[in-house]
Amino acid sequence: MPHSETASQAEVVLQGIGVAPGVAIGPVFLWQSGDDYVVERSLSEGDTFAEINRFEEALIETRRQLLEIQSSLGRELQSDKDASIFDAHLLFLNDRDLIEEVLIAIQNDRINAEAALKNVSRRYMDTLLAVEDDYLRERVADVKDVMRRMIRNLSGEIVSISDSLTDKCIVLASDLAPSDTAGLRRDTVSGFATDLGSPTSHTAVMARALEIPAVVGLHDVSKRQWTNETLLLDGTRGLLIINPTKERLDEYGHIVEEREVIRSGLSSLKNEPAETRDGHAIVLSANIESASDVKSVEQYGAEGIGLFRSEYLYLTHEDSMPSEDEQVAAYRHVAEALAPAPVIIRTLDLGGDKFASAIALPTEMNPFLGCRAIRFCLKMPNLFKTQLRAILRASSYGNVKIMYPMITQVDEILQAQELLVEAMDELEAEGIEVDRNIEVGAMIETPAAAMISDSLAKHVSFFSLGTNDLIQYTLAVDRVNELVAYLYEPTHPAILRLIKQTIDSGHKNGIWVGVCGEMAGDPVMTPLLLGLGVDELSATPSAVPLIKDSMRKVTMEDAESLARKALSSESAGDVLALARQLIREVAPEILELTD
Ligand code: PEP
Ligand code: MG
């Protein structure tokens, strides 16, 4: 275990929210989001002319890109109204005063174009923020967006976090977008900690998928004066320890060893069936974010994919959308690797906290309640159909199923199915064989969907409960807001009743019901979900051995009795205590790993 260089400095222990388990020790790397990460370079007098040319070329290229996106968006939306959101971007790029200011800064201050642009646009943004006008204040996001695009066109690329690192570090940031997190690599990032965030934000989900220990909700940790401190990050307990003492490091040495012993013991379950002690079997699958995650699915012994979050293909695709062929390649890779096991591809779930740079979504006050997921796809039929065609083409290489996110009404399923049939007709007309009987499911992640699950069940082959959203929408708790994270309770009786209602509706209509939200990845919740009657659980790959352990240690009788008590309980705390009590009795090693 490395020694703290600053052991003489006082140790500081900060409590946040642990969102991805594991311990990391190392130096700090303070990350400021892309637009701030601009290095200022001094120029010699003779270089300023070339620098001005470089700036003007980037300006032309940026205008060209924006006009192109605007016109393709206009075609897609069959209306210029939504595409006009780029007008503000173009206005900013055509602002002579601003351009003059940048040119003067390059010339007089003799600094590089990126730094000059950043300084000038910062001043613009400050001025806009100071104005008592909501419309103008909202334009700050546009200025930021254009600046980012300009900087990318100037430097050729935006520096990703992992690319900025040479040694292994713990990354500190105010917040990380899901697309930033998706670019983290374990060879350079041993853990991360952020001011904002909560356990079911997509950034947290991504950290667990990448198996990078993470703590969020540390309020203003990124604003501290950081020098050369060493950090110890405990993603299981949600601790960030600055300048850990020698005793602390020794203590963690033991903790890590003990957890390792338990974990390697659980790896022997890999080929054991996912069933209760008395032989009640369910399907235990994995959630993945990218095609390359398929390795961990096999490593941890999941039976297939219960949720492939396809939007990460779009999030990690800089400046353009993945083509149909690129999508086919990704889906096919997963389908082939796991065949004949099922692979459920969830159609594009953009919006909320996930934004792709190539797809301009309108700025919304409440993006989680706005144009997200299926709503967005139904507004963009061509984009959606490209994805459906890709899934259909990939389906001939394995056992592929389709799942629609964020359903609130039957009509959304009917409209999506119409587009699916159109995609099938097109492919057949092109001579490509398609499976007309491909299974289609609905995510149940809004209270509306759970309450009309009896109607929805007549139109799909399966349900998968997206508890992450179901909890936020039912309890009115923003899933990414650390200030209300304490109210985000999966065991709230309202959630349990909606889950039960969905399972009963599914079963009455002869379809299976799974859970793919993070609740399915918590081994303490496994007996409760089994007792409520789920047929499938799908979780981040590394959680699969723990869920299997939990399942194999309980009987269905224990699980059903827990579910009965839970359904008549009055508070989330009571249910959690009952669930933990059962685990303490039958599988105490799980609490050692998760507490
Ligand atoms: C969910 O909402 O539970 C879910 C699985 O979808 P996502 O986390 O991607 O919103
Ligand atoms: Mg969801």
Side-chain angles (χ1 to χ4, degrees):
M1 188 155 294
H3 233 277
S4 165
E5 283 177 359
T6 49
S8 55
Q9 284 179 251
E11 180 184 85
V12 179
V13 180
L14 302 175
Q15 179 73 60
I17 306 169
V19 296
V23 173
I25 298 168
V28 182
F29 175 76
L30 190 62
W31 169 256
Q32 288 163 334
S33 62
D35 51 359
D36 290 326
Y37 201 73
V38 167
V39 181
E40 184 169 313
R41 275 184 295 112
S42 305
L43 305 174
S44 65
E45 198 175 351
D47 290 340
T48 54
F49 183 68
E51 195 65 6
I52 286 174
N53 271 345
R54 207 165 69 82
F55 174 72
E56 288 186 333
E57 274 165 22
L59 208 52
I60 293 167
E61 173 58 14
T62 308
R63 276 195 205 112
R64 192 196 60 73
Q65 289 172 358
L66 288 177
L67 287 169
E68 192 178 304
I69 296 180
Q70 194 174 41
S71 84
S72 70
L73 255 186
R75 277 196 304 278
E76 182 66 55
L77 295 167
Q78 285 133 19
S79 115
D80 288 341
K81 193 172 152 283
D82 291 333
S84 70
I85 53 173
F86 275 116
D87 286 350
H89 292 56
L90 285 161
L91 213 63
F92 174 72
L93 277 186
N94 291 328
D95 184 331
R96 264 338 293 177
D97 290 344
L98 178 129
I99 294 170
E100 278 301 313
E101 273 191 61
V102 176
L103 297 182
I104 289 170
I106 296 174
Q107 189 110 45
N108 295 357
D109 304 344
R110 295 220 207 118
I111 52 173
N112 54 326
E114 290 91 336
L117 175 67
K118 184 189 147 190
N119 296 345
V120 173
S121 30
R122 265 273 143 254
R123 282 203 294 278
Y124 262 62
M125 287 191 264
D126 289 346
T127 314
L128 288 174
L129 280 172
V131 180
E132 289 279 320
D133 179 321
D134 286 346
Y135 175 81
L136 284 179
R137 273 205 299 262
E138 279 167 25
R139 298 287 68 77
V140 169
D142 298 330
V143 178
K144 252 194 183 156
D145 224 44
V146 181
M147 189 179 76
R148 230 182 127 89
R149 188 175 287 276
M150 271 291 290
I151 289 172
R152 192 160 40 225
N153 286 331
L154 277 164
S155 324
E157 58 171 347
I158 285 270
V159 196
S160 79
I161 299 176
S162 280
D163 289 345
S164 325
L165 291 172
T166 41
D167 297 327
K168 223 170 172 173
C169 290
I170 294 177
V171 171
L172 292 187
S174 170
D175 196 13
L176 292 176
S179 49
D180 288 331
T181 318
L184 298 182
R185 289 197 315 269
R186 271 195 297 177
D187 57 338
T188 48
V189 178
S190 54
F192 73 79
T194 59
D195 299 344
L196 308 177
S198 68
T200 53
S201 64
H202 285 99
T203 290
V205 169
M206 188 45 112
R208 288 192 283 276
L210 294 169
E211 296 179 45
I212 294 179
V215 177
V216 302
L218 286 158
H219 304 296
D220 52 7
V221 74
S222 73
K223 318 259 170 355
R224 289 174 66 101
Q225 282 301 329
W226 289 100
T227 45
N228 286 325
E229 283 93 344
T230 293
L231 293 181
L232 188 157
L233 180 146
D234 178 348
T236 308
R237 295 179 180 163
L239 297 175
L240 184 72
I241 302 171
I242 306 166
N243 301 320
T245 59
K246 166 137 187 1
E247 294 70 42
R248 180 80 65 183
L249 291 170
D250 290 345
E251 178 202 347
Y252 266 90
H254 297 306
I255 293 177
V256 169
E257 256 171 47
E258 277 165 23
R259 287 184 191 163
E260 232 359 273
V261 171
I262 299 175
R263 272 225 160 247
S264 60
L266 295 184
S267 65
S268 65
L269 294 176
K270 183 176 167 186
N271 298 316
E272 299 296 326
E275 60 182 25
T276 58
R277 223 172 73 206
D278 49 346
H280 175 89
I282 64 155
V283 176
L284 182 50
S285 359
N287 295 349
I288 60 168
E289 272 70 42
S290 93
S292 59
D293 294 344
V294 88
K295 292 191 292 290
S296 15
V297 177
E298 287 160 342
Q299 179 194 340
Y300 291 110
E303 288 165 56
I305 305 289
L307 168 66
F308 183 170
R309 287 185 166 95
S310 65
E311 55 276 4
Y312 281 90
L313 262 175
Y314 294 69
L315 293 182
T316 50
H317 210 269
E318 277 285 324
D319 271 346
S320 66
M321 280 178 254
S323 66
E324 184 176 315
D325 287 347
E326 281 174 287
Q327 294 189 54
V328 175
Y331 306 149
R332 175 181 170 172
H333 174 76
V334 178
E336 266 180 344
L338 298 175
V343 172
I344 301 178
I345 301 177
R346 194 259 303 272
T347 57
L348 192 54
D349 180 7
L350 282 181
D353 60 349
K354 287 175 290 197
F355 301 97
S357 56
I359 304 175
L361 295 173
T363 311
E364 297 176 292
M365 288 291 263
N366 290 307
F368 274 113
L369 300 180
C371 188
R372 180 187 170 196
I374 195 73
R375 300 172 181 181
F376 167 75
C377 286
L378 293 176
K379 270 179 186 262
M380 306 280 269
N382 292 336
L383 181 145
F384 190 30
K385 227 168 19 163
T386 303
Q387 177 171 45
L388 295 173
R389 283 172 56 100
I391 299 176
L392 287 168
R393 282 173 56 194
S395 70
S396 55
Y397 298 95
N399 179 5
V400 172
K401 303 175 201 291
I402 297 175
M403 178 157 79
Y404 300 132
M406 215 193 153
I407 294 295
T408 55
Q409 47 176 290
V410 170
D411 200 48
E412 286 162 339
I413 294 180
L414 299 181
Q415 285 185 52
Q417 289 299 84
E418 236 173 74
L419 289 167
L420 183 64
V421 171
E422 267 180 40
M424 288 173 171
D425 293 344
E426 278 176 20
L427 288 170
E428 278 182 350
E430 291 163 27
I432 300 169
E433 217 180 292
V434 294
D435 175 8
R436 291 252 167 203
N437 297 318
I438 190 165
E439 280 186 34
V440 172
M443 288 196 74
I444 303 296
E445 47 186 352
T446 62
M451 296 187 79
I452 59 160
S453 49
D454 52 344
S455 305
L456 294 173
K458 306 207 163 47
H459 300 275
V460 289
S461 307
F462 62 91
F463 282 155
S464 187
L465 282 145
T467 48
N468 304 338
D469 281 311
L470 185 64
I471 296 167
Q472 87 161 338
Y473 293 132
T474 307
L475 304 183
V477 177
D478 181 348
R479 65 189 270 189
V480 299
N481 183 344
E482 73 288 356
L483 298 178
V484 287
Y486 68 101
L487 292 171
Y488 190 97
E489 295 175 303
T491 51
H492 191 295
I495 303 301
L496 303 182
R497 290 180 201 186
L498 289 173
I499 293 177
K500 180 77 179 129
Q501 186 174 348
T502 304
I503 293 173
D504 290 348
S505 305
H507 289 174
K508 266 192 210 122
N509 286 282
I511 65 171
W512 62 265
V513 183
V515 181
C516 64
E518 297 304 296
M519 192 174 177
D522 178 353
V524 174
M525 293 294 115
T526 309
L528 180 57
L529 292 172
L530 282 170
L532 289 170
V534 295
D535 306 293
E536 182 236 29
L537 292 174
S538 188
T540 195
S542 62
V544 166
L546 280 81
I547 301 165
K548 205 185 263 186
D549 182 46
S550 173
M551 191 184 298
R552 291 175 60 82
K553 298 256 171 77
V554 286
T555 62
M556 249 339 244
E557 203 183 321
D558 294 334
E560 281 169 355
S561 142
L562 171 65
R564 264 194 309 277
K565 285 187 213 146
L567 283 168
S568 58
S569 288
E570 287 191 348
S571 81
D574 292 349
V575 178
L576 186 59
L578 288 170
R580 286 177 60 85
Q581 180 55 34
L582 179 56
I583 290 295
R584 196 170 294 115
E585 283 162 19
V586 300
E589 67 283 3
I590 286 178
L591 295 184
E592 297 215 10
L593 274 183
T594 54
D595 275 2

